[in-house]
Amino acid sequence: MDHNMFCFQCEQTAGCSGCTGKAGVCGKTADVAKLQDELTGALIGLARATGGATVTTPDTWPIFIEGLFTTVTNVNFNEKTIRAMLDRVETEKAKLAPGCSACASSCGRSDNYDMNELWNAQEDIRSLKSLILFGVRGMAAYAHHAMVLGYMDDEVNRFFAKALFAVGEDWGMDELLPIVMEVGEKNLKCMALLDQANTETYGTPAPTTVPLTVEKGPFIVITGHDLHDLKLLLEQTEGKGINIYTHGEMLPAHGYPKLKKYAHLKGNFGTAWQNQQKEFANLPAPILFTTNCLMPPKPSYADRVYTTALVSYPEMTHIGGEKDFTPVIKKALELGGYTEDQDFTGINGGHTVTTGFGHGAVLSVADKVIDAVKAGDIRHFFLVGGCDGARPGRSYFTDFVKQTPADTVILTLACGKYRFNDLDLGTIGGLPRIMDIGQCNDAYSAIQIAVALAEAFGCGVNDLPLSMVLSWYEQKAVCILLTLLHLGIKNIRLGPTLPAFLSPNVLNYLVEHFGIAPVTTPEADLKELLK
């Protein structure tokens, strides 16, 4: 392969325009980036081979889901495993369209797509196709979490093929824009499916205070989003004298009754994903990555990194489909953990954080919330959350939350909450002013809460005293944004920068129809949103 790449799917892309050198800002090499493009092109070929999602096998949809998830930022840096995924796509395509590979005709029924056609397309077409592609990549992550729990949705699955087929077609804006909006519609179904899968499997989350102290003795840190992997790890470590600590997007696991029942699920270690290279440097314990966000491990802790499912990095120990975490357990016992309890704090010096304020918990006290609004005790709700990242401008979100008036409530979700989730902002009517709804996919909970409040007050969601101030980093944030737009939610503030893949015309469309605006300063935005 030649040593150049093009990638602009994440918020930290070079110069806010695109990574084009020998490596991306995320750490993936140009060769890995090009293999991911090749995999995407092959998935578009597979979408063509399904003949409008009418020709499938039992393997078709899992391959779409796993293939798309493999290309999400900070998931897979390993050429070997991406090639293996490519082989699976080609094998499946051959089953759906037998004989096509040897056929000399040009019907294109199963041809792979050259992603250079997308990256070099007219900017508005490139922008809309990027929204579709990045959106379904994010949606595939949620579909995967549900799939491992035995939950799938045929309508969601079929849309993966429909969306990828559209990316490969020579269509104009009028044909592509409805597909963009349909990403939001189908992602709502996908998030509802995952919410059902999680709550039926682990129970309805309940508000929980989580300590940031790490107790002495052997322990394992588990990060990512996959609750199924956490459950398996808890089962395999029970009674072995090893404590388990969540990290990053795994924090909301503490709210689920069937996970918190394990006494050795002790607390949360560290903050958001972008701090892992510093936080893991001297950790006397192994780290298990279940999904993104994996950063290239530093030599100081590389021997303690374990991956599973679709996460992969060259030379790191991978726990395969059998999910036998024995190597992780052995490493934890070998390292021994800390000799004394370690009192860690959050970014703002707090010693605990809370989680578990999903729609089940919040709506169970909806009468209190409604009464507080009617009494004037709650003036406004802010949804402040989303992905975190390293860009300095992200301090905006901490400052914004600190400056919110005492008669406002902050709903939060995803790892963006680590900017402020250890703050003690007090309570309103017995409810904490900061409520952690959960992971990024729990935007579904935020939507359910907003819809219920709108019904209670007899108004539309856009008429509620509710403002959304969202941070984004990767593709799951893209599909969530499209879901909010599908629901007609307006005046969202987005930061710390706007996506590089939004062309001026597409951005103008979003501004004109939905009032999307970039964040400015906390002071100016608060003044505007509280008018």
Side-chain angles (χ1 to χ4, degrees), residues 325-401:
F325 293 120
T326 299
V328 192
I329 292 169
K330 285 183 176 178
K331 179 62 76 171
L333 293 172
E334 172 194 321
L335 291 170
Y338 294 109
T339 57
E340 299 293 338
D341 292 357
Q342 301 293 309
D343 293 321
F344 294 104
T345 64
I347 287 177
N348 302 288
H351 292 273
T352 62
V353 292
T354 59
T355 192
F357 290 92
H359 62 95
V362 175
L363 295 182
S364 70
V365 293
D367 54 337
K368 289 185 180 179
V369 176
I370 293 165
D371 288 346
V373 173
K374 288 181 176 177
D377 296 330
I378 296 178
R379 176 173 33 146
H380 206 86
F381 296 89
F382 294 102
L383 176 60
V384 185
C387 309
D388 204 3
R391 203 178 290 275
R394 289 181 179 269
S395 60
Y396 164 95
F397 298 96
T398 311
D399 296 337
F400 184 95
V401 169

Side-chain angles (χ1 to χ4, degrees), residues 477-497:
V478 176
C479 63
I480 289 172
L481 177 64
L482 293 177
T483 292
L484 296 174
L485 300 186
H486 156 71
L487 292 168
I489 294 173
K490 297 185 176 181
N491 302 317
I492 296 169
R493 295 295 194 275
L494 188 64
T497 61

Side-chain angles (χ1 to χ4, degrees), residues 281-302:
N282 300 304
L283 197 67
I287 309 103
L288 176 63
F289 282 84
T290 67
T291 58
N292 64 324
C293 292
L294 171 66
M295 297 176 75
K298 297 284 190 182
S300 59
Y301 65 90

